[in-house]
Structures are given as structure tokens and as C-alpha cells.
Amino acid sequence: MAQKPLRLLACGDVEGKFDVLFNRVRAIQKKSGNFDLLLCVGNFFGSTPDAEWEEYKTGIKKAPIQTYVLGANNQETVKYFQDVDGCELAENITYLGRKGVFTGSSGLQIVYLSGTESLNEPVPGYSFSPKDVFSLRTMLWSTSQFKGVDILLTSPWPKYVGNFGNSSGEVDTKKCGSALISSLATGLKPRYHFAALEKTYYERLPYRNHIILQENARHATRFIALANVGNPEKKKYLYAFSIVPMKLMDVAELVKQPPDVTENPYRKSVKEASIGKQIPAPEEDSACQFFFDLNEKQGRKRSSTGRDNKSSPHPKQPRKLPQPPGPCWFCLASPEVEKHLVVNIGTHCYLALAKGGLSDDHVLILPIGHYQSVVELSAEVVEEVEQYKATLRRFFKSQGKRCVLFERNYKSHHLQLQVIPVPLSRCATDDIKDAFITQAQEQQIELLEIPEHSDIKQIAQPGAAYFYVEFDTGEKLFHRIKKNFPLQFGREVLASEAILNIPDKSDWRQCQISKEEEETLARRFRKDFEPFDFTLGD
């Protein structure tokens, strides 16, 4: 049986004209039947005397529908919103709060952000900051299999919302609005986004939330800006619509694209997106951290493809590997390497112990050919990387450990996927995740949670600088590096008191041991890992 849609009303700036609004709602309900909710964005209170509001506050008058409102947009009206977490202002009229998520009994998910944008500290009581937007996105992205939200309520318009769309009239969306809200809308992918403050009505053409031919289809977003209640120009201030909560919808129905759908206004133009910004190759670290040995025996003797010699007598010709533009410390065939720490070789990837590792079994997964990052890997290399990751998880679990993986595609020329085991007795996965988020916030690094089973390639373009960390649950945190980034960030978090409690090892240079000791550790790892080695064949 099909889910019955909810019938909702959205309203622009009320500005204290409560009777005008609620009389209009009564007339609509008398003609069209009852609605479930009224959502108010913009300025709910105005500069008018409080006499009218007092009648609602004291119960003399009552709103004819359950009404939810956003908070103050100026100092004058802060006094009406005493509780930042939201509260009942009058019967049937509820202040949602400064920011958060409202989920109805039907499963409808409404995200709200009160106030106007502020980049200054301290943030006024009627404004939101980048931290507020970051915490909202993190809160939602931490949800398993996050796809988007049903409704986003903000008072300011998102900046650039008019790009690729129909005319927004007298409002210049390249100058007007909040870039933070544009970022929030991009991350949360609301099906409906309502805003106000500009005293005009603008219903933008729906826009898509995916890149055609590059990403799976997603639902479209409809942005609607509403005018102020009772405006003399009779611009639309009340919007009626029906909606079935996203979580109850069939996927095919949800992602069906409207005939007039446009490009996402918050992305670069199609031309810019296809070319991308060319990020110059940054300088390599002053010293190389990991080295490996090509001469150690690796179980059975292998052919140059890395497979067992007892395989087919007519092996496929190996594909030519990507070559570095110059000397590379991490390409397996490079004459530049110091040869002793390779512990396992596959067909497309290999494992090497870390030089100056956080632990004796801190290893790296590296591609045999020259690839700069995970984003640039070919399909067969990705497949083997995933095989190594799964095998290492099983290996470390057998030793009472969980592993954390991270990649820093910044000031490095060859992909180094670091794998660090953490004893199960030390801390839970959630503790490790919290430590990364906390230290990122302290250093003003925006770590965004990526939905489980998602692909980094969907988020980062080849050549883009980024950092990401992956936990044993499959959850990932991602940061797009725009300027500078602490080179030892991942290592510092794992070495911290909250996780491994070895802060003196946060710099690998302080952890170097002799070549003889490294060789001993490598031999021990190979022996322990052999029962799990998928490269040996049957």
C-alpha cells in the first residue's frame, strides 16, 4: 500500500503579522482540507508592538495548525528565543532551536539552521558560524547510508542558487546570500529548501545532486524563497506541498528526475568541472619514510607478474605499469630504494613495513606502478588494494587488534596507504573516530564523514589534495586540502593519549631503528602473515 503523503505549508517572513498569517491558513484549510505542519522561515517576529503576540502567548488566540519557526536574525528579536535548543513559544507554535534535525513520527527529516551568517568570533546570538554548519553536516553524514534530507530550513538564501537556473528577479544571487548555506545544501542534499529575508518569491527550477555519467542518480532539490506575510505587492508568502518521507520511498521513484531539472548551482560550471584545477605537484617530504626489499624470498618463487609460477603456462602479457616522471622512492622496481622492508608482493600492489613505524607491525599498502593517490588507481589495482585491506583486517583481528587506514595525498608523489593496528583493549572504533574529529576541530580541519561503502573517487577528482581515514567498520572521514595541512596529522592522532598513548612517536624520525632491527621485524611479519597470504595461491 502506497504511503499517504504529508501535506505541509511553508511560510516566509511573518514579521509579527500573526493574525494575517493564521487567518490565511484557516481559509486554505477550509477550502482544501487540513495540513499537517506549517514551517516558518525568516523573521517570525517584527518591529510591531507585542500586543498581538501576547494574545497567542497567553492562549487568548491559538494557531490553527502545528507551527514550527526559526530563531532570530537580528539583535532586536533575540529576546523571544530564550532557549537555544528550542522550546514552545505558545500553544501550537514551537521554536525549533539554533540548529539541528527534527524527525517527525512519520520519518520526515527536517534540518534547520537559525540566524544569519557570521564569520566573526564571538558569534552573535542571532547568527551561525562555519562551526555550526560543519557540526550539522557531520551529524547527518555520520548516519549510516546517508542519502540526503527531506527539508532544509534556513532564513538567508544560499549564495549562487541562481546559477544555471531561471531568473531570480531583482535578487543577485552571486552577491546576495550565504556561502555557508550553499555548502550546507551541497552536503545535505535536501529535497526541499526554504528561505526568506529578501521580501520576494522565487521558485528555482529543480537541480540535480549528482554528476551525470559519473555518479549514480540522486533525487533533485527544489529551492523556494518566500516573500513576507501580507506584502502589498501580493508576492507569494505561503507555499503548499505534499511529501512522502524519503526513507519510505522506493529508490527508483525518489531519484526520478523532473523534466526541467538543471545542473547543481553550487558546483563550478561544467567546463571548469571537466578541466579541474591543476594543482602543482607539491614538494616531497624532506626525508623518505618507507623503504622495501626486492631481494628477500617471498614464499614460493613468483614470475614478474607477481603470480605463482605454477599458474598457466601461457600467462597474459603484463600491462605496462604507469611510470614516474622522475626518481620515485616507492615504485617497486626503482633503483632508488633502500632494499629491505618489503613483506609481501601481489600482482598490482605490495606491502612494506614502515620505517619509523608507530608499532612493529605498522605497514603500508603501495601500488607497484606509479600512482599518486587512490583516486587515480585503475580498477584492477583498486580490487587488489581492497583485498589487502580485508586480509590485513583479518590478520590483525587474529592478534586482538583492529586497524586504522589513512592516506594523505599532499606533499607525496606515490600512494602510501598506511595501516596501523590498535589493540582492541586500548579503545573502541568510536573512540578512535572521536579522537580524529576532536583533533581536527582543534586544528580547524573540516573532516566530513563519507557514507559507508562509498568511493573516494566520487568525492575527489584526480590531482586534488586530500586526507582520508578509514576505520575497521568501513566508515571514512574525509578532508579536502585547500592550502596547508599538517603532514603528521594522522600519525599524531593515533599516537595521542586517547589511542596508542605514544605521543613521543608522533614524528617518525624519532622512531628509527637500525637496519638489522628492521630486517628482524620484516622477517617476523612475513612469518606471521603467511597463513593469511592470498598471493601464494592454493
Side-chain angles (χ1 to χ4, degrees), residues 306-319:
R307 296 201 181 279
D308 198 307
N309 271 358
K310 69 176 185 178
S311 58
S312 168
H314 303 290
K316 292 181 181 178
Q317 288 298 314
R319 178 186 293 184

Side-chain angles (χ1 to χ4, degrees), residues 361 388-405 419-425 429 472-473 525 528-529 532:
D361 43 8
Y388 265 121
K389 282 159 64 172
T391 303
L392 285 168
R393 287 191 181 108
R394 290 196 301 273
F395 169 63
F396 286 125
K397 187 176 181 181
S398 73
Q399 299 187 335
K401 301 172 184 177
R402 57 170 53 87
C403 60
V404 180
L405 299 89
V419 186
I420 299 93
V422 177
L424 295 173
S425 58
T429 302
D472 57 331
T473 56
F525 187 94
D528 292 344
F529 187 70
F532 298 84

